[in-house]
Amino acid sequence: MQIREGGTRRGAASAARSPMSAMMLAMFATMASFYVAGRLWQDAQNRVYLIKELDRRTGQGHSAISVDDTLKVVACRQQAKRLASLEMELAAAKHEGFVGKYTYETNGTNSRKRPLIVIGIMTSFGRKNYRDAVRKSWLPTGSMLKKLEEEKGIVVRFIVGRSVNQGDASDREIDEENRSTKDFMILDDHTESEEESPKKTKSFFANAAESFDAEFYAKVNDDIYINVDTLSAMLKEHWDKPRVYIGCMKSGEVFSESYFRHASGEMLVISKAVAQFISINRSVLRTYAHDDVSVGSWLIGLAVKHVNEAKLCCSSWPSGALCSAL
């Protein structure tokens, strides 16, 4: 009997606590809802304030500008700057009696020639016969070489590195030849070897960009003939392209995997901005087995215009070509 009474008392106590527990839970739930709602409202107000403040500071309170619109604005500004620059050049040309764009660049009291293009002829030890063939076919020597630079703005140099044993007979032969012809650019920071030709090409573009303020830079092999007049005429078609990569473009399948577009290594041309990019980033630009592939890889992802120029397909000698194999 006592047991039944105890059980009845515990049941009554539980029944009395149940409404109390439910009421407490409801109160906590209500308070939590008010708290969350308050935080959401506060966050919303903060966002509204920040947006208004951003609009006030940027002056874009009434309309948002898209990415395309932004690019158009940037392009217009660049064109305006280019137009102003061209107007200044035109005024200077009139003052000089309509002198060409690439004739003179004033530096204080001295005037100097500004090259249209710097051509680097890739050569190496033991290839003097090839260099002599170039000199006899299309590259002038002596005073005529200087005249080519001054009148046409075309600078041409044979490009060679140093021997692994610096100062040996190979280095001395190049130095002696250069003293006679004065048509070399010797890369003291490059060790000459066939396997390192991509690094040599990179070193040439970097050093040429630092040594000459030209509009274009070209790499050509020492077994290629060039018509410099046709080259000059072709380059005039690309003066309005600040970042350009010109060559006999190749793309296709290699070992069942596609490779990126790049110009044939026999001869290729890049603009000033591209050469400066190579010069600035020479320490991080990776080289591959071939220099043509290496150059193409350096320009992946950049805003560079790739121009497939049939006139630079030297081996096939198409109609109007400006280069051919010797």
Side-chain angles (χ1 to χ4, degrees):
M1 189 67 182
Q2 291 177 350
I3 294 174
R4 284 198 296 271
E5 288 178 357
T8 301
R9 290 172 183 166
R10 285 194 296 272
S14 299
R17 285 196 297 268
S18 294
M20 184 66 69
S21 299
M23 184 178 297
M24 293 295 293
L25 289 174
M27 290 177 62
F28 281 124
T30 302
M31 292 174 63
S33 298
F34 279 120
Y35 174 77
V36 172
R39 288 300 302 271
L40 291 175
W41 180 85
Q42 184 179 8
D43 290 344
Q45 290 296 105
N46 289 338
R47 285 195 295 271
V48 170
Y49 170 76
L50 291 174
I51 290 172
K52 289 182 178 179
E53 184 68 12
L54 180 62
D55 290 341
R56 182 183 68 79
R57 296 187 180 186
T58 59
Q60 297 176 355
H62 298 289
S63 63
I65 185 169
S66 66
V67 174
D68 290 338
D69 291 337
T70 302
L71 293 176
K72 290 177 182 178
V73 171
V74 173
C76 288
R77 289 175 179 172
Q78 291 176 341
Q79 290 297 327
K81 291 180 180 179
R82 179 168 178 77
L83 179 59
S85 176
L86 289 174
E87 288 174 347
M88 294 175 64
E89 290 177 0
L90 179 59
K94 289 180 179 179
H95 180 70
E96 295 291 338
F98 295 96
V99 178
K101 177 179 178 182
Y102 297 102
T103 303
Y104 285 98
E105 184 177 84
T106 302
N107 182 12
T109 59
N110 298 321
S111 294
R112 64 182 177 85
K113 297 297 183 180
R114 183 183 183 186
L116 168 64
I117 185 170
V118 176
I119 303 174
I121 307 174
M122 298 297 154
T123 190
S124 60
F125 304 135
R127 293 183 68 87
K128 187 176 185 300
N129 290 340
Y130 285 87
R131 294 191 291 273
D132 288 340
V134 168
R135 294 181 182 115
K136 291 177 181 178
S137 59
W138 67 271
L139 179 62
T141 58
S143 61
M144 297 304 294
L145 178 63
K146 194 69 174 178
K147 186 176 180 180
L148 180 66
E149 297 178 11
E150 294 179 350
E151 294 188 357
K152 297 185 178 181
I154 298 176
V155 177
V156 187
R157 296 289 186 273
F158 288 103
I159 310 302
V160 67
R162 285 301 189 183
S163 171
V164 64
N165 301 311
Q166 289 203 14
D168 63 5
S170 297
D171 279 349
R172 291 195 299 272
E173 289 174 2
I174 292 294
D175 290 337
E176 182 178 354
E177 183 179 348
N178 187 38
R179 280 192 291 270
S180 173
T181 59
K182 296 180 174 58
D183 55 6
F184 278 86
M185 178 187 289
I186 300 175
L187 306 175
D188 291 320
D189 61 348
H190 175 76
T191 300
E192 193 67 32
S193 72
E194 186 176 352
E195 295 77 16
E196 299 295 340
S197 63
K199 292 182 179 179
K200 181 178 179 179
T201 298
K202 179 171 64 173
S203 179
F204 157 64
F205 282 132
N207 282 280
E210 294 173 357
S211 302
F212 299 94
D213 183 25
E215 289 298 319
F216 298 96
Y217 301 83
K219 172 263 175 185
V220 63
N221 292 340
D222 63 3
D223 57 355
I224 298 296
Y225 167 88
I226 298 177
N227 185 322
V228 293
D229 292 326
T230 305
L231 173 63
S232 179
M234 184 271 290
L235 292 176
K236 292 178 182 179
E237 301 174 3
H238 304 289
W239 279 351
D240 60 338
K241 303 179 181 68
R243 294 174 297 277
V244 66
Y245 171 37
I246 312 170
C248 184
M249 294 293 169
K250 300 188 293 184
S251 59
E253 297 289 322
V254 177
F255 302 118
S256 301
E257 296 182 5
S258 60
Y259 60 84
F260 44 82
R261 199 179 192 199
H262 63 276
S264 169
E266 290 180 322
M267 183 174 183
L268 59 90
V269 180
I270 60 176
S271 61
K272 176 180 179 179
V274 178
Q276 290 176 336
F277 167 81
I278 295 173
S279 177
I280 294 170
N281 298 280
R282 71 177 84 180
S283 62
V284 297
L285 293 176
R286 181 179 177 183
T287 56
Y288 296 88
H290 303 286
D291 59 355
D292 54 354
V293 175
S294 298
V295 174
S297 71
W298 301 336
L299 308 184
I300 292 176
L302 300 181
V304 175
K305 176 69 174 178
H306 288 58
V307 178
N308 184 22
E309 180 56 74
K311 294 177 182 178
L312 294 180
C313 296
C314 307
S315 296
S316 57
W317 189 247
S319 177
L322 58 84
C323 62
S324 65
L326 289 174

